[in-house]
Amino acid sequence: MLDHLAFRTPDPKVIQGATGPWELVIGLEVHAQIASSAKLFSGASTLFGAEPNSNVAFVDAAMPGMLPVINEFCVEQAVRTGLALNAAINLTSAFDRKNYFYPDLPQGYQISQLYHPIVGEGEIIVDMGPGVARRVRVERIHIEQDAGKSIHDMDPNMSFVDLNRTGVALMEIVSRPDIRGPEEAAAYVAKLRQILRYIGTCDGNMQNGNLRADVNVSICRPGDYERYQASQDFSHLGTRCEIKNMNSMRFLQQAIEYEARRQIAIVEDGGKVVQETRLYDPDKGETRSMRSKEEAHDYRYFPCPDLLPLEIEQAWVDDIAASLPELPDVKVARFVRDWSLSEYDAAVLTAEAENAAFFEAVAAGRDGKLAANWVINELFGRLNRQGLGIGQSPVTAAQLGGVLDLISSGEISGKMAKDLFEIVWNDGGDPAAIAAARGMKQVTDTGEIEKAVDEIIAANPAQVEKARANPKLAGWFTGQVLKATGGKANPATVNALVAQKLGL
Ligand code: ADP
Ligand code: MG
């Protein structure tokens, strides 16, 4: 999608087995809850944490005779997501029923899109550090409903069910098996999450289960993946296992690593990997079988008779495309170019759209690098330590900009700027007015500094001897002068004067 930044492809993760090196092949199916206040086929609320079974419409509870009515906004969100991943949008898609029995699925089937998804091929650039990234293909995105939640730990003899989540709209975003290691898998989820948050189609709150991933892992020998890439023939790849429902980046990586080693041990032992669905147990640090694909469910997919095929118009898609915000890759490239930032700093500043907007408000009309340093180190650093988001920052962009203006004009030193920032953080106010009221003014008048230097040199003849013998010791004089002038003197000016007066 984006060639704004040139990048090198990272090396795949290699695991040394007893019989030689192995490589990993990974494909992810990410379930992202669509940001929408109402469910996919009902008007019930999607609010997280509501009283159990309080957000359940008749159709969610599968009452007889109830019919689903599609929520246009959810469709729009899926289209927006597809466009942000530079994917093909299918103007005709259709819903299917995936039949299975489970207590948290009152309908006895999930409405999904198996045969005709709304979004086709797209891609995600997965960043692995400045100048290093992998292009991962997205195979499809389809819309489907979420199930409810069974609760087994409230009573020794009974299970409970909460249907609040039943019918909430999900996007399933399916990648090609283009991911080549645990870190890349985590970086893929992070990049996808970032894009979804930029465009507002998913909150990406992994703890709430708002974004969760099924991860498919297989192993192959070096060279096999390139053969697969050249031919798209899956027989070059190993048999995969799928690990369900990962909602932590750390566990995702641990599960992949464990699973790859498990498969290597099986194959090196002369066995065969059996395609199956597994679960990761973070306490034991291992995956275990949940169900095998052989005995697998026959889901008896068939077109949902309650819903007509979904037809959308190109003009509508074009309108959505026109409303997309600037996306992370483009923003990073622009920040590097327009603000003369390193790719690393640009990536930090653009992690969230709100952070990037704040930075640009600070940097406007000012030195980009100075603004980046202050926003990243002083502001973000402090917000992070206090667990605050940019929206809760006690210092506004205008206030921080005011501090930077005083630095740039030479009115205050870096040290004073930090003190001033501290005051603005705690008490608010206009930085220039505070600096004036508190007499925070850097002395650039060399006459005054010279006088202080002369006095200190005159009062410390022994120290002068030492500094002349070893010029490194001249720093002591600078320190004394800064102290004597109450930190108001510009250190660079003092340094130069000290060296000159000592004849160094
Ligand atoms: P299913 O319908 O059984 O879930 P799919 O063909 O839809 O199978 O693939 C599901 C996921 O598995 C996709 O993300 C895909 O990239 C991944 N995948 C397919 N083959 C492999 C493989 N050999 N190794 C790792 N991942 C794979
Ligand atoms: Mg699947």
Side-chain angles (χ1 to χ4, degrees):
M1 153 164 62
L2 298 155
D3 290 312
H4 304 276
L5 292 173
F7 56 77
R8 168 177 83 69
T9 304
D11 295 329
K13 161 121 185 162
V14 175
I15 296 179
Q16 286 299 331
T19 60
W22 294 95
E23 289 181 3
L24 279 60
V25 175
I26 299 158
L28 291 181
E29 299 164 272
V30 172
H31 288 95
Q33 183 179 325
I34 294 178
S36 159
S37 51
K39 295 184 181 180
L40 182 55
F41 298 118
S42 82
S45 165
T46 58
L47 199 69
F48 181 81
E51 183 73 11
N53 297 308
S54 60
N55 293 334
V56 187
F58 287 135
V59 67
D60 303 324
M63 290 299 172
M66 294 298 120
L67 290 173
V69 177
I70 190 137
N71 178 340
E72 180 179 333
F73 181 68
C74 292
V75 177
E76 182 181 330
Q77 291 285 59
V79 169
R80 184 173 287 119
T81 304
L83 291 168
L85 303 186
N86 208 29
I89 306 299
N90 296 321
L91 297 182
T92 302
S93 60
F95 290 96
D96 305 295
R97 283 186 183 177
K98 177 182 182 177
N99 297 276
Y100 65 96
F101 173 77
Y102 208 73
D104 62 21
L105 187 77
Q107 287 171 155
Y109 56 83
Q110 177 193 31
I111 302 177
S112 181
Q113 296 189 308
L114 177 70
Y115 301 109
H116 303 286
I118 187 156
V119 178
E121 291 263 352
E123 65 179 11
I124 298 178
I125 308 290
V126 177
D127 310 290
M128 298 301 295
V132 186
R134 188 183 297 280
R135 202 178 283 275
V136 172
R137 293 169 299 163
V138 168
E139 182 183 315
R140 57 189 270 151
I141 303 176
H142 60 258
I143 306 174
E144 62 186 26
Q145 358 168 244
D146 207 347
K149 198 169 124 199
S150 300
I151 300 155
H152 305 295
D153 57 5
M154 270 177 62
D155 187 284
N157 304 312
M158 279 189 287
S159 283
F160 293 87
V161 68
D162 177 4
L163 298 184
N164 281 350
R165 220 175 56 190
T166 310
V168 165
L170 302 178
M171 297 179 273
E172 180 169 335
I173 303 160
V174 183
S175 88
R176 296 274 181 197
D178 288 350
I179 299 163
R180 306 303 316 282
E183 297 80 14
E184 278 184 36
Y188 171 90
V189 175
K191 185 63 174 284
L192 175 58
R193 177 176 182 275
Q194 180 192 29
I195 294 171
L196 298 177
R197 286 175 59 82
Y198 259 65
I199 60 177
T201 61
C202 172
D203 298 340
N205 187 330
M206 296 185 78
Q207 278 112 346
N208 292 357
N210 215 295
L211 189 76
R212 43 194 202 264
D214 299 342
V215 49
N216 297 268
V217 182
S218 67
I219 52 163
C220 65
R221 291 296 192 183
D224 285 343
Y225 182 75
E226 287 70 20
R227 280 174 211 113
Y228 155 72
Q229 275 288 11
S231 62
Q232 293 303 305
D233 176 352
F234 280 86
S235 69
H236 292 295
L237 301 180
T239 302
R240 71 178 190 272
C241 286
E242 178 179 5
I243 311 157
K244 278 277 176 208
N245 259 327
M246 307 295 312
N247 67 347
S248 136
M249 299 281 202
R250 191 158 61 88
F251 295 155
L252 172 76
Q253 296 179 66
Q254 289 173 0
I256 292 170
E257 175 100 27
Y258 174 87
E259 181 57 21
R261 291 183 186 278
R262 187 188 71 88
Q263 293 180 14
I264 291 168
I266 292 174
V267 175
E268 293 198 327
D269 225 34
K272 273 202 158 69
V273 175
V274 181
Q275 186 176 340
E276 62 184 357
T277 302
R278 301 179 69 84
L279 278 182
Y280 181 65
D281 179 341
D283 295 330
K284 294 212 176 81
E286 59 187 39
T287 63
R288 61 167 178 271
S289 182
M290 189 175 142
R291 56 173 184 255
S292 78
K293 281 265 170 181
E294 269 93 328
E295 72 191 48
H297 308 12
D298 173 7
Y299 287 124
R300 294 173 295 118
Y301 274 102
F302 63 87
C304 183
D306 290 340
L307 290 157
L308 288 169
L310 182 59
E311 305 264 2
I312 57 176
E313 283 171 11
Q314 187 60 46
W316 188 59
V317 175
D318 293 343
D319 283 348
I320 299 170
S323 75
L324 280 183
E326 183 179 41
L327 294 170
D329 292 328
V330 179
K331 210 185 269 293
V332 166
R334 184 169 64 77
F335 275 26
V336 167
R337 193 182 62 227
D338 292 0
W339 298 112
S340 308
L341 302 181
S342 68
E343 201 186 320
Y344 180 83
D345 283 355
V348 172
L349 290 168
T350 56
E352 299 276 349
E354 294 74 19
N355 293 0
F358 189 100
F359 163 75
E360 291 210 276
V362 174
R366 303 190 173 96
D367 175 5
K369 274 191 186 140
L370 180 70
N373 278 340
W374 274 79
V375 170
I376 294 173
N377 299 321
E378 301 306 320
L379 185 71
F380 288 177
R382 187 143 187 180
L383 290 171
N384 280 345
R385 282 196 296 280
Q386 305 201 3
L388 299 174
I390 193 77
Q392 300 153 296
S393 171
V395 176
T396 65
Q399 286 171 319
L400 182 50
V403 173
L404 300 192
D405 288 341
L406 296 169
I407 300 174
S408 296
S409 66
E411 284 171 72
I412 61 172
S413 65
K415 164 82 178 66
M416 287 174 186
K418 286 189 185 169
D419 295 342
L420 183 54
F421 179 80
E422 175 82 27
I423 295 165
V424 176
W425 178 283
N426 292 320
D427 308 333
D430 171 43
I434 297 169
R438 304 212 177 196
M440 296 173 117
K441 207 164 171 40
Q442 171 163 250
V443 180
T444 39
D445 169 8
T446 39
E448 201 177 319
I449 301 173
E450 219 174 326
K451 196 168 140 260
V453 174
D454 287 339
E455 280 168 14
I456 288 168
I457 285 180
N460 297 282
Q463 199 67 26
V464 170
E465 290 283 295
K466 285 191 203 158
R468 288 204 171 121
N470 179 1
K472 277 189 195 150
L473 301 179
W476 181 84
F477 286 95
T478 306
Q480 294 299 309
V481 174
L482 289 177
K483 211 188 265 174
T485 51
K488 289 180 185 172
N490 181 330
T493 314
V494 177
N495 258 335
L497 275 173
V498 165
Q500 184 199 329
K501 300 264 175 190
L502 290 176
L504 303 177

